[in-house]
Amino acid sequence: MVGLIWFALEGFASCRNVVLSSTRSPDGTRAVFVFRQECNATVPDSTYASIAPMDRTFSPDRNHAFLGFAGHAEILPSWRGSNVVEIAMMPGIEGGFIRHDEKVGSIRIDYK
């Protein structure tokens, strides 16, 4: 009985990350990864963006998000050179930002 309850609670509390898109930098060494975190029915989905090197598999745990918000909106990243990322969001943010950084290391983030 205890095992059944543990299994039910573990499934209820678990989340998964789904990569929606990636946009490579002009020099091909990094990419902006846009992903959604999907949890259970009581926790709303969240959308995030991270910058990660292209020489290894993307991991939201290893490559922390510079942008995050509750809900759904399309994130449209574009690189301007290898050190500036322009971010547009459509249709906009309704649920408020979880995270909204202006820099990731030496990379500047411009929000439009």
Side-chain angles (χ1 to χ4, degrees), residues 32 66-67 75-78 85-89 109-112:
V32 175
F66 65 86
L67 171 65
I75 297 174
L76 305 169
S78 59
V85 174
E86 186 174 281
I87 299 290
M89 292 169 278
I109 312 297
D110 287 342
Y111 296 94
K112 302 296 175 191

Side-chain angles (χ1 to χ4, degrees), residues 5-47:
I5 293 171
W6 176 83
F7 180 76
L9 290 175
E10 184 70 19
F12 185 73
S14 66
C15 295
R16 71 182 186 125
N17 293 307
V18 178
V19 174
L20 303 173
S21 68
S22 64
T23 305
R24 281 183 170 230
S25 63
D27 63 8
T29 61
R30 298 173 281 216
V32 175
F33 288 87
V34 176
F35 63 98
R36 182 174 52 238
Q37 187 175 67
E38 300 171 343
C39 295
N40 56 50
T42 62
V43 178
D45 292 350
S46 300
T47 305

Side-chain angles (χ1 to χ4, degrees), residues 31-108:
V32 175
F33 288 87
V34 176
F35 63 98
R36 182 174 52 238
Q37 187 175 67
E38 300 171 343
C39 295
N40 56 50
T42 62
V43 178
D45 292 350
S46 300
T47 305
Y48 296 92
S50 294
I51 295 175
M54 291 300 298
D55 61 353
R56 55 185 180 165
T57 305
F58 172 70
S59 166
D61 295 326
R62 185 176 48 240
N63 308 109
H64 300 287
F66 65 86
L67 171 65
F69 53 88
H72 298 269
E74 187 172 1
I75 297 174
L76 305 169
S78 59
W79 289 85
R80 289 188 292 157
S82 292
N83 291 318
V84 179
V85 174
E86 186 174 281
I87 299 290
M89 292 169 278
M90 298 175 64
I93 308 304
E94 295 175 10
F97 287 104
I98 297 168
R99 181 169 198 114
H100 188 259
D101 296 345
E102 300 292 326
K103 275 193 114 169
V104 176
S106 64
I107 301 170
R108 188 176 82 226

